[in-house]
Amino acid sequence: GAVVSQHPSWVICKSGTSVKIECRSLDFQATTMFWYRQFPKQSLMLMATSNEGSKATYEQGVEKDKFLINHASLTLSTLTVTSAHPEDSSFYICSASDSSIKFYEQYFGPGTRLTVT
Amino acid sequence: QQQVKQSPQSLIVQKGGIPIINCAYENTAFDYFPWYQQFPGKGPALLIAIRPDVSEKKEGRFTISFNKSAKQFSLHIMDSQPGDSATYFCAASIADSSYKLIFGSGTRLLVRP
C-alpha cells in the first residue's frame, strides 16, 4: 500500500518552454502533497506544500509564478515549471500523506528528472 | 533552528559491519524523526521512524537510537549487506507545520563485499 507514482520519469525540454509533472497516489487519498527538488549529491529541498482544493504554500525563495502547483483531487497533484531554464534542471520528487491514516508519514514518488537544454 | 545536521557525509564498511549515522537538531518542537533510504535515480523510501517518547526502535536490521536530552538520534544498520549501499537521510518534522520534513544533508553508505 501507499504507492505514489510520478509521470514522466524523465523529460527533456527546451529553454523557455513549460513542462508539467504529475504526481498520483495510487491506493490512498492524499490529503496533503509535497514537492521537492534535489540537485546531484544533495539533499531534498521542500518547494511547496499543497492540500487538496487549496492553494499551495511555497517555501521561502521558491517562485510561485514559475513553479505552478495544482492539487485538484485527492489523488493527483501537478507541478508545472513555466519558462524553464537550464538552472531548473533537477530531480523533482513528490510525496503524499493521508491524514485519515498516519498523517505524519510521507510516501515518496520515484522522481522526475528534468533536463532543460 | 530548523536545521537537522547529519554526519558523516560518507561511510564505508565491510559486509557484516554496523554503520552508524548520526543526526542532531535544535528545535525541540520536532516530534517525528524518520529515516529514508535513497538509491540513485529513485525517490526516498521510508525505512524507520521514531517519536520522541521512546529511546529506541528496531525494525529488522535497522535501529534508531534517540536521545531527547542531547537532541540527537542515530541509525544503526546491523549485519550490513552490499545491497544496503545507498544514501541515507534523516529528517524531522513538526505536527503544527503540516508535518513538512526537514532533511539532513545525507550520508552515502558503501558496504564492501
Side-chain angles (χ1 to χ4, degrees):
Chain A
V3 178
V4 176
S5 70
Q6 280 184 242
H7 179 79
S9 55
W10 60 270
V11 58
I12 302 173
C13 71
K14 292 188 176 182
S15 186
T17 63
S18 296
V19 61
K20 180 184 286 188
I21 302 169
E22 292 186 349
C23 176
R24 294 183 184 272
S25 57
L26 299 185
D27 52 3
F28 67 100
Q29 294 186 326
T31 49
T32 305
M33 284 185 164
F34 304 83
W35 286 94
Y36 298 81
R37 64 189 298 182
Q38 185 179 34
F39 292 107
K41 298 184 181 180
Q42 292 190 22
S43 188
L44 286 80
M45 296 300 297
L46 179 65
M47 299 175 67
T49 303
S50 72
N51 294 297
E52 184 262 340
S54 303
K55 287 186 177 181
T57 301
Y58 291 81
E59 294 299 300
Q60 192 172 8
V62 177
E63 299 175 60
K64 61 180 180 180
D65 294 331
K66 181 171 186 60
F67 299 99
L68 302 179
I69 293 171
N70 184 282
H71 190 170
S73 77
L74 284 172
T75 59
L76 174 65
S77 176
T78 60
L79 167 67
T80 301
V81 183
T82 63
S83 186
H85 289 94
E87 57 265 31
D88 298 323
S89 298
S90 188
F91 193 49
Y92 291 87
I93 311 170
C94 71
S95 71
S97 64
D98 183 351
S99 63
S100 67
I101 309 176
K102 292 182 179 180
F103 45 86
Y104 47 87
E105 281 195 10
Q106 289 185 32
Y107 305 99
F108 283 81
T112 296
R113 174 78 57 194
L114 169 63
T115 301
V116 184
T117 60
Chain B
Q1 266 262 333
Q2 285 292 84
Q3 281 188 328
V4 177
K5 295 183 179 180
Q6 183 172 345
S7 63
Q9 186 175 8
S10 62
L11 190 53
I12 301 174
V13 299
Q14 291 295 127
K15 177 183 174 182
I18 306 176
I20 300 173
I21 305 170
N22 301 296
C23 286
Y25 63 97
E26 288 296 323
N27 191 344
T28 55
F30 286 139
D31 59 1
Y32 174 65
F33 302 89
W35 283 90
Y36 288 89
Q37 178 190 57
Q38 186 180 31
F39 293 103
K42 305 295 183 183
L46 178 65
L47 268 179
I48 185 172
I50 199 167
R51 309 298 291 267
D53 52 345
V54 297
S55 60
E56 186 176 276
K57 183 176 181 181
K58 292 183 180 181
E59 284 188 5
R61 295 186 293 110
F62 302 97
T63 299
I64 298 180
S65 297
F66 188 84
N67 187 328
K68 188 174 181 178
S69 60
K71 293 183 282 188
Q72 295 176 348
F73 58 109
S74 59
L75 176 70
H76 302 231
I77 305 176
M78 306 303 177
D79 187 29
S80 59
Q81 302 296 314
D84 296 328
S85 298
T87 299
Y88 293 82
F89 293 97
C90 63
S93 66
I94 309 172
D96 62 359
S97 68
S98 298
Y99 276 101
K100 62 180 184 180
L101 291 168
I102 308 299
F103 279 88
S105 54
T107 296
R108 300 180 73 184
L109 171 66
L110 175 63
V111 181
R112 294 194 189 280

